[in-house]
Amino acid sequence: MKLNIKKLNKTYGNGVKALNNLSLEIETGMFGLLGPNGAGKSSLMRTLATLQEADSGTAHLGEIDILKNPNELRKVLGYLPQEFGVYPKITAKQLLDHLAVLKGISSRKERKELVNYLLQKVNLYEKRNKAVKGFSGGMKQRVGIAQALIGNPKLIIVDEPTAGLDPGERNRFHNLLADVAENVIVILSTHIVEDVRELCQNMAIMNHGQLVCQGKPQDVTEALKHQVWQKMIQRNELESYTNNYKVISTKMVGGKPLIHVLSDKNPGEGFQKVRPTLEDVFFSKINQVQQPN
């Protein structure tokens, strides 16, 4: 099954063009959608999740016309929003049972078996009778994935799922997502480059509502081979280098800026050629597109 998006457009009432003629094809597996805050990722996710309407364009999941038949899409959709709210006094078991009822699973026996299976899958069965409000961020996200799996979805959308998680929780969540993505389309919307590099077979980068890059992480990284150079400079030199070179990223190392510059040839004295990373691709691409008027 494929997800086909063609020429989607969305402009909000305040004039912000969140989606700008966006087209994308996504197959089974984990697909990473990268972009800075305000790039339009959440607008695309909300449109695909039928939480808002597009101004124009089409989106199909297999034979389902998402924009014209949102109820059909909801039957096969799993959605974990950026902020997964929980009822204050409900247990993990009660929460999943309640959501299964809302998904149309009327048999109590079937719900019980499903809830127990999902809690075991996300490694929370031993915590099933604990109030979700007391869970850590990572545990809440695992409950979020469990509820997204109710009803055997064909499309799962997760929006910024690892923001705020500690390294251990992030790794556990990564393993869970990778397991889930073997048989369905999972769209991972994030601004965390490492999540995409570690998890996704295919990816795209958005900025100002447009696609600025698409492909396999290793392929888009290889496309910058022999073009990325780095140099350690003094802090008072940063403005000068930014004005005179195509600086794509800057990070502090030992209190000094380490700059990465994009160039087809050696930019000058002190520069060293480095193997490009997905982070280099990300910064080089988002700086190419100017915000539309």
Side-chain angles (χ1 to χ4, degrees):
M1 183 172 286
K2 291 183 180 180
L3 174 64
N4 282 295
I5 302 163
K6 293 183 179 179
K7 298 182 178 179
L8 271 189
N9 287 281
K10 177 67 178 181
T11 301
Y12 292 114
N14 60 2
V16 172
K17 194 170 184 64
L19 300 175
N20 188 1
N21 209 38
L22 189 142
S23 297
L24 191 58
E25 185 177 282
I26 301 175
E27 298 183 344
T28 298
M30 185 81 72
F31 186 91
L33 186 63
L34 274 172
N37 292 331
K41 304 186 306 298
S42 291
S43 292
L44 177 59
M45 298 302 96
R46 286 179 57 81
T47 301
L48 295 176
T50 73
L51 296 175
Q52 68 179 22
E53 296 181 356
D55 297 331
S56 62
T58 63
H60 291 83
L61 178 66
E63 299 299 317
I64 300 174
D65 188 322
I66 295 174
L67 304 185
K68 291 183 178 179
N69 300 301
N71 287 334
E72 289 302 307
L73 186 279
R74 289 168 189 156
K75 294 176 183 178
V76 294
L77 172 70
Y79 182 48
L80 176 57
Q82 187 171 350
E83 296 292 336
F84 176 59
V86 296
Y87 299 106
K89 296 182 180 179
I90 201 168
T91 67
K93 182 178 177 181
Q94 291 169 332
L95 176 61
L96 293 179
D97 182 76
H98 174 66
L99 293 173
V101 171
L102 297 180
K103 277 274 191 173
I105 302 174
S106 57
S107 167
R108 181 175 296 179
K109 181 175 181 293
E110 184 180 351
R111 289 201 311 275
K112 182 178 179 181
E113 291 175 352
L114 174 63
V115 168
N116 287 339
Y117 164 76
L118 291 174
L119 286 169
Q120 288 170 344
K121 188 173 184 66
V122 300
N123 197 27
L124 286 174
Y125 185 76
E126 299 301 320
K127 305 289 186 180
R128 64 191 182 279
N129 294 317
K130 300 290 185 181
V132 180
K133 71 170 184 177
F135 283 6
S136 68
M139 292 167 69
K140 286 179 181 177
Q141 290 295 67
R142 280 186 273 155
V143 173
I145 281 292
Q147 63 82 26
L149 292 173
I150 296 172
N152 295 316
K154 304 299 182 186
L155 170 64
I156 297 176
I157 295 171
V158 288
D159 194 0
E160 300 285 359
T162 62
L165 301 189
D166 66 40
E169 290 175 329
R170 182 170 165 267
N171 288 337
R172 285 190 290 271
F173 195 72
H174 278 186
N175 291 334
L176 178 57
L177 282 178
D179 181 44
V180 167
E182 288 191 0
N183 302 307
V184 300
I185 296 172
V186 177
I187 302 177
L188 171 65
S189 173
T190 182
H191 67 279
I192 301 175
V193 177
E194 291 87 350
D195 285 355
V196 172
R197 184 182 63 241
E198 294 172 8
L199 286 172
C200 301
Q201 301 95 334
N202 289 284
M203 58 160 288
I205 299 174
M206 284 184 69
N207 200 23
H208 301 312
Q210 303 175 56
L211 280 187
V212 295
C213 180
Q214 183 180 353
K216 298 181 181 299
Q218 62 269 30
D219 291 344
V220 299
T221 302
E222 186 70 15
L224 286 186
K225 191 175 181 181
H226 305 307
Q227 298 180 57
V228 180
W229 305 78
Q230 75 175 21
K231 183 178 181 180
M232 189 80 75
I233 63 174
Q234 299 297 322
R235 294 180 66 178
N236 60 7
E237 297 177 311
L238 182 56
E239 183 177 354
S240 174
Y241 275 88
T242 302
N243 291 335
N244 292 287
Y245 297 89
K246 193 171 183 179
V247 177
I248 55 176
S249 67
T250 304
K251 62 180 177 181
M252 301 301 291
V253 177
K256 292 183 178 181
L258 178 67
I259 60 172
H260 276 205
V261 167
L262 198 63
S263 177
D264 291 329
K265 59 184 180 180
N266 191 331
E269 183 180 354
F271 280 98
Q272 292 182 318
K273 185 190 295 182
V274 292
R275 191 176 190 87
T277 66
L278 192 57
E279 190 173 75
D280 291 320
V281 176
F282 175 75
F283 285 116
S284 67
K285 295 298 182 182
I286 64 171
N287 290 329
Q288 287 181 358
V289 177
Q290 300 299 315
Q291 187 167 5
N293 294 325

